[in-house]
Amino acid sequence: MSDKKIRSPLSAEEKREAWGEFADREDEYLDEVEQRWGDSGAYAQSAKRVATYGREQWKRINRDNAAIEARIRELMDAGAAPSSEAAMDVAEAQRRHIARWFYDMTHEFHVLKSHLYVEDPRFRAGIETNTRPGAAEWLREAIAANAERAARAQDTAR
């Protein structure tokens, strides 16, 4: 475990409450995260932020994420296309959530990260456990559509 490791001030019990199953494999997962992204600015920024979060911040993070997941499920159940305004809005909400609590998340970075939702079974499970099967692909498409919308808005503003 290196000095760059993401650390939390939570007790083991509080981690289990806030993070669920992740807390049981924290060292394993954080070693992998550090190995894959430890030299990135996003990792450093996330490590710095997470080190300050107590129980109340994690409750809010989890509550806000649950609302995003519920909205994804609602939109999918209603048959909303990933390119619809509502789908792009939920993708934007997720992007802002990550940016607020973990690390700066540009639209381009969000598109890159969305591929992990589909390609990595753990990321897929993280998305689909509280939504429904197919949500990883649906969200990836919504994120791409949202990035295109943001690019068009930026071009229009020029």
Side-chain angles (χ1 to χ4, degrees):
M1 199 179 314
S2 99
D3 293 339
K4 293 189 303 184
K5 175 80 70 184
I6 293 176
R7 303 207 188 276
S8 168
L10 300 178
S11 69
E13 181 181 324
E14 290 170 326
K15 286 177 184 179
R16 272 189 228 87
E17 180 185 315
W19 302 343
E21 290 179 16
F22 179 89
D24 296 333
R25 298 178 71 182
E26 176 185 7
D27 287 337
E28 174 188 343
Y29 289 151
L30 291 181
D31 285 344
E32 179 184 349
V33 167
E34 181 184 6
Q35 183 178 25
R36 289 176 81 175
W37 297 294
D39 292 328
S40 71
Y43 179 92
Q45 190 175 37
S46 184
K48 185 176 179 180
R49 289 180 182 182
V50 167
T52 68
Y53 296 158
R55 200 176 204 157
E56 292 308 310
Q57 286 92 352
W58 282 107
K59 283 182 183 178
R60 180 156 183 210
I61 290 166
N62 290 336
R63 184 182 65 240
D64 293 352
N65 189 64
I68 291 166
E69 291 173 336
R71 185 68 179 135
I72 291 167
R73 189 174 50 254
E74 290 167 5
L75 290 169
M76 290 183 73
D77 288 348
S83 59
S84 68
E85 288 293 318
M88 289 187 283
D89 290 347
V90 79
E92 180 64 12
Q94 188 208 42
R95 187 187 72 79
R96 288 182 180 190
H97 176 74
I98 294 166
R100 179 173 196 276
W101 293 105
F102 300 103
Y103 45 83
D104 294 340
M105 177 61 68
T106 64
H107 291 283
E108 295 79 12
F109 189 14
H110 200 205
V111 168
L112 291 173
K113 184 173 181 170
S114 73
H115 293 285
L116 286 173
Y117 299 157
V118 173
E119 296 164 6
D120 186 310
R122 293 167 300 178
F123 279 86
R124 176 184 290 277
I127 297 294
E128 294 185 353
T129 296
N130 296 316
T131 56
R132 61 182 255 200
E137 287 85 2
W138 186 93
L139 182 56
R140 181 184 61 187
E141 290 178 39
I143 289 168
N146 185 53
E148 290 173 15
R149 176 176 69 172
R152 282 191 308 273
Q154 189 174 27
D155 287 345
T156 302
R158 289 183 189 165

